[in-house]
Amino acid sequence: MATLKDVAARRPIAATIRLIVPAGGARPAPPVGPALGQYRLNLMAFCKDFNARTQKYSPDTPMAVTITAYKDNTFEFIVKSPSVSWFLKKAAGLELGSERPGHVVASSLTLRHVYEIAKIKQTDVSCKHLSIEAICKSIIGTARSMGIEIVKDL
Amino acid sequence: MFTGLGHHLRFLRRIFALEIPSRSVPLPPFPVPSNPFSVTLTEAAVGSLLRPPSFYLHRMRRRIPTERIQFCTLTAQPEHSDASPYLSVRIRCLKRDADMLSDALLCFGANSASMDELSDSHDLDEIWITCIFADHQDVHTCISQAVGSFGLNYVPKYEISAGKICDWTTNVQESFHPIEVVTGLWIVPKWREPPDLQATNIILDPGMAFGTGEHPTTKLCLMLLHRLLHGGELLLDYGTGSGILGIAAVKMGASSSVGIDIEPQAVISARENVALNGISSSKMSVYLVPNATGTSNADEETENPEKRTLLGFQPDCSKGKFDFIIANILLNPLIELAVDIVSYGRPGSNIGLSGILSEQVQQIKEIYSQYLENISVSDMEGWACIHGTKKEKLDM
């Protein structure tokens, strides 16, 4: 994987590829294979790199990856943690959110859960500049829209 | 009634110039009238038609994915165990909607969505998105759901083509070149000539297995072997991939190597590479072992006759025998299998671990410090390799 140099030396971009890959499970087979292969990117390097970087997640967590492929066949990628709604559903043990959020409560979670999710989210590039408090508030908002109640203690 | 609908469709096709997929592609069996793609006489839909001149639409329709056909050499490629065909869909939409549409498509079932950067875009402000779907998926529904999810006010045109395995495997193979890892040691892909015939050349055909020699972790491991092997050792390549480390060890003077891996494809590739380098199977043997962590495919392995030929490793006879163990895998397996990996070495044997990022070194050190002493770390480009010697007195 190419190291990130300063933005001024930006190389010509060939394509932007978005993928969903299970954590630690990138293999040179579809979906990774065809998507990267058509731009002649080094599949093995990506798989190894991606797998190593996602070791801290439990296997088969769906990770969203955005790969920027440059014209000289090098690439860079950003791995995003799964969506907040996915975390909430997993923590609450639900398949789907509530059918009538605001009226029907699907499940409840404690502030401890919210804090743990916020800690993982903070490692995400898009949330780095936010305080833990701000991330927690946004998670609580998402939970409310899914019909998951947040309580102090269960 | 059916002919009436068919006629209706043909009429629609002319008016809206929609790429209504032809029957050769898997589709819902009946073109249902409630299909959101077939009708929506909105202002925007008609508008988007009138804006681009009609010759555009002809040009777009005739645009066959020629790039794919050119790469597909259709040589007799061995059928890999997970060689499944896939569907490749090219969707055309406005640039400003492209990001949202790609994300929506991923949510609704696409495996990937790629966008080409068109520096000189003659297509005005429109862009192509290439999506890959699994073979059996309903592309129609996925696209309509994605479009509906964020209220796109026009109907993007798309065309579906079937993708074949050879399309992308040949591309990737073309990018391998001979590499000199340390002075006098070259890794050469099977289809190229070694630049220096005097040096130690390892010839490789990695196929779908890991280990081409380009990755920093492979280089770190090879440098470790080069530094520490003096000749006559018995080496275990734990997680052999393409077999590169085991083969390198034999070429550098080890008396013999054993390679083990949990992926059948890796074992097949490794055995081919052993033969390619003129090493007999008595000098290097490669075996398939069951996945010690998590899912066990025990039933699957014994039922599949091909896989049975790959088995044969006798773990109990091999414990405590090896002089050198090298494991280039990943953080989690290294941690979970620490006891297993170390058990194969004799007291005082060299153990090398890699496939870890520099930031993961501390975790490995914590676990392995109970089994190894004289632990040293080497790193390259953010990747690290740990080396230690097995403690003399251990209750294992």
Side-chain angles (χ1 to χ4, degrees), chain B residues 7-29:
Chain B
H7 179 72
H8 181 59
L9 262 180
R10 257 178 277 130
F11 168 77
L12 281 174
R13 196 181 289 161
R14 255 176 241 130
I15 292 290
F16 294 108
L18 281 170
E19 280 295 340
I20 296 174
S22 57
R23 297 224 178 98
S24 54
V25 176
L27 266 197

Side-chain angles (χ1 to χ4, degrees), chain B residues 91-95 97-98 101 125-129 154 156:
Chain B
I91 306 176
R92 186 190 177 83
C93 67
L94 290 174
K95 268 196 186 147
D97 300 320
L101 187 57
D125 55 348
E126 293 191 317
I127 196 172
W128 288 97
I129 303 180
Y154 66 90

Side-chain angles (χ1 to χ4, degrees), chain B residues 224-225 228-229 234-236 322-326 349-350 352:
Chain B
L224 189 74
L225 289 176
L228 293 173
L229 277 177
L234 197 58
L235 180 122
L236 176 66
F322 293 94
D323 303 305
F324 206 124
I325 303 178
I326 187 108
S349 55
N350 286 304

Side-chain angles (χ1 to χ4, degrees), chain B residues 23-229:
Chain B
R23 297 224 178 98
S24 54
V25 176
L27 266 197
F30 201 79
V32 184
S34 58
N35 183 338
F37 270 78
S38 54
V39 206
T40 25
L41 258 174
T42 55
E43 280 288 301
V46 175
S48 71
L49 249 196
L50 297 176
R51 258 183 278 117
S54 52
F55 69 79
Y56 248 114
L57 301 168
H58 283 299
R59 197 171 66 144
M60 189 215 77
R61 230 196 275 167
R62 234 183 277 132
R63 200 194 297 210
I64 312 157
T66 46
E67 312 97 77
R68 267 176 251 292
I69 295 176
Q70 164 185 321
F71 289 149
C72 179
T73 54
L74 280 177
T75 48
Q77 287 261 341
E79 275 297 314
H80 302 293
S81 50
D82 42 15
S84 47
Y86 55 94
L87 291 175
S88 173
V89 184
R90 285 172 70 96
I91 306 176
R92 186 190 177 83
C93 67
L94 290 174
K95 268 196 186 147
R96 59 162 192 260
D97 300 320
D99 276 332
M100 294 218 57
L101 187 57
S102 322
D103 282 332
L105 284 162
L106 281 179
C107 285
F108 283 104
N111 284 335
S112 75
S114 341
M115 283 187 294
D116 288 340
E117 294 283 319
L118 303 164
S119 48
D120 48 335
S121 36
H122 3 254
D123 300 309
L124 305 172
D125 55 348
E126 293 191 317
I127 196 172
W128 288 97
I129 303 180
T130 311
C131 275
I132 304 218
F133 288 84
D135 199 23
H136 51 269
Q137 265 180 307
D138 187 357
V139 177
H140 235 37
T141 323
C142 170
I143 297 185
S144 51
Q145 281 177 332
V147 164
S149 73
F150 64 100
L152 198 63
N153 58 358
Y154 66 90
V155 166
K157 306 169 193 85
Y158 64 97
E159 46 189 61
I160 307 181
S161 54
K164 290 183 274 287
I165 274 284
C166 54
D167 291 346
W168 50 275
T169 48
T170 38
N171 284 7
V172 175
Q173 285 176 347
E174 278 168 34
S175 55
F176 294 147
H177 298 279
I179 310 165
E180 184 170 25
V181 179
V182 279
T183 36
L185 178 68
W186 285 83
I187 317 267
V188 183
K190 177 173 91 164
W191 46 86
R192 296 210 197 270
E193 287 301 314
D196 181 1
L197 287 163
Q198 299 298 324
T200 319
N201 291 317
I202 302 174
I203 312 207
L204 267 200
D205 177 15
M208 290 294 125
F210 181 77
T212 56
E214 292 178 326
H215 201 267
T217 52
T218 319
K219 287 188 195 167
L220 282 168
C221 289
L222 286 168
M223 282 159 52
L224 189 74
L225 289 176
H226 186 81
R227 196 160 45 99
L228 293 173
L229 277 177

